Amino acid sequence: MALWVRFARDDGTTGFGTLQDGGIAVHEGDIFAAPTPTGEVVARDGVGLRAPVAPGKFIGLWNNYRELAAKTGAAIPETPLWFLKAGTSLNHPDGVIAPPAGYAGKVLYEGELGLVIGRRCKDVDEAAAAEAIFGLTVVNDVTALDLLNADPSFPQWARAKSCDGFGPVGPAIATGLDWSGLRVQVALNGRVRQDYPTADMILPPARIVALLSREMTLEPGDVIACGTSVGALPMRPGMVVEVTIEGIGTLRNVMAGG
């Protein structure tokens, strides 16, 4: 197992590597194609972490947990119910979540397990799809709830999910970690509001990737947020939201204002 991170130095240069003993073992090359260690180790507290990947496609799922489906009365889907988040929604660990100018409605956190694609796949079966998943990360799929239903004739999923900074990802990508035994916890100002097992997923990761690959080509670096469960609530200005998945880390962001 390894934890891959991206970081920025004080001089503005960026790099990537693996976490180890309070430091980052710097690598070079392509993270998805046999990167090689440079021999340099930088102190973890001497750099700023960035989102561990810059996705070409940022895909989110809706209604993919049995407990939430039972609570809302939603039907159990046989294929992914998905939407796209804009690339500019990407946010970093410790980044600020700010609603768009003029928006005064509800802003929800949604703690989720994220899949990072490591190889190109198109119309693959589940075995090949599992091999195409490079690793797992943590996602906060932030939602401007009032934009979602602003027009009753047209639910605006992409708009509500794509505001700048509405997609914090990180702090790391874990490779070699079994998704099925994890828990997603979200704390708001230190109080746990979401705590659910990833084993409750309706469509598991390999099936998600296989089914999505029928409709679109998935490329290295693409991120798929696997959906959330019960407990997603609005954030208020100044609140700290922490999404934790043991084995990957904690994604910590602050809501602007307050």
Side-chain angles (χ1 to χ4, degrees):
M1 177 179 163
L3 289 171
W4 292 90
V5 297
R6 284 201 308 155
F7 61 88
R9 307 175 195 263
D10 289 340
D11 63 5
T13 60
T14 60
F16 73 97
T18 56
L19 288 177
Q20 57 175 39
D21 298 327
I24 300 172
V26 181
H27 286 59
E28 61 184 2
D30 184 346
I31 189 174
F32 303 115
T36 56
T38 66
E40 179 188 11
V41 177
V42 298
R44 165 65 187 87
D45 57 5
V47 295
L49 289 187
R50 297 294 180 258
V53 62
K57 290 188 289 296
F58 196 161
I59 303 162
L61 266 64
W62 179 76
N63 189 29
N64 194 38
Y65 278 85
R66 292 179 180 86
E67 184 179 1
L68 183 59
K71 181 177 179 179
T72 61
I76 300 298
E78 295 184 0
T79 59
L81 305 175
W82 60 273
F83 52 85
L84 289 174
K85 293 174 74 77
T88 46
S89 72
L90 186 69
N91 204 341
H92 305 299
D94 295 322
V96 173
I97 299 169
Y103 179 76
K106 294 178 180 178
V107 177
L108 272 62
Y109 61 80
E110 297 181 29
E112 306 189 11
L113 177 69
L115 314 177
V116 179
I117 300 299
R119 64 179 67 169
R120 187 178 187 272
C121 56
K122 171 63 178 174
D123 200 18
V124 297
D125 61 19
E126 288 190 35
E131 292 296 318
I133 299 171
F134 174 75
L136 309 176
T137 192
V138 184
V139 175
N140 187 350
D141 177 24
V142 182
T143 307
L145 187 62
D146 293 34
L147 294 183
L148 176 60
N149 299 308
D151 187 328
S153 70
F154 182 69
Q156 298 178 80
W157 286 93
R159 181 186 178 196
K161 302 281 191 175
S162 290
C163 302
D164 289 352
F166 272 28
V169 175
I173 304 169
T175 58
L177 184 64
D178 180 6
W179 69 271
S180 65
L182 305 177
R183 295 192 72 87
V184 179
Q185 286 191 334
V186 181
L188 199 59
N189 279 358
R191 182 178 178 184
V192 174
R193 294 293 194 172
Q194 284 191 292
D195 185 0
Y196 64 90
T198 53
D200 190 47
M201 257 188 241
I202 296 168
L203 300 172
R207 193 171 307 159
I208 292 169
V209 172
L211 291 172
L212 287 176
S213 79
R214 295 180 183 178
E215 301 169 357
M216 69 179 91
T217 300
L218 298 173
E219 302 280 0
D222 287 347
V223 171
I224 303 167
C226 293
T228 199
S229 189
V230 296
L233 294 168
M235 299 177 287
R236 294 193 302 273
M239 283 187 164
V240 177
V241 58
E242 296 172 297
V243 187
T244 300
I245 301 179
E246 188 174 356
I248 305 175
T250 296
L251 182 63
R252 182 185 185 276
N253 299 93
V254 178
M255 181 76 175

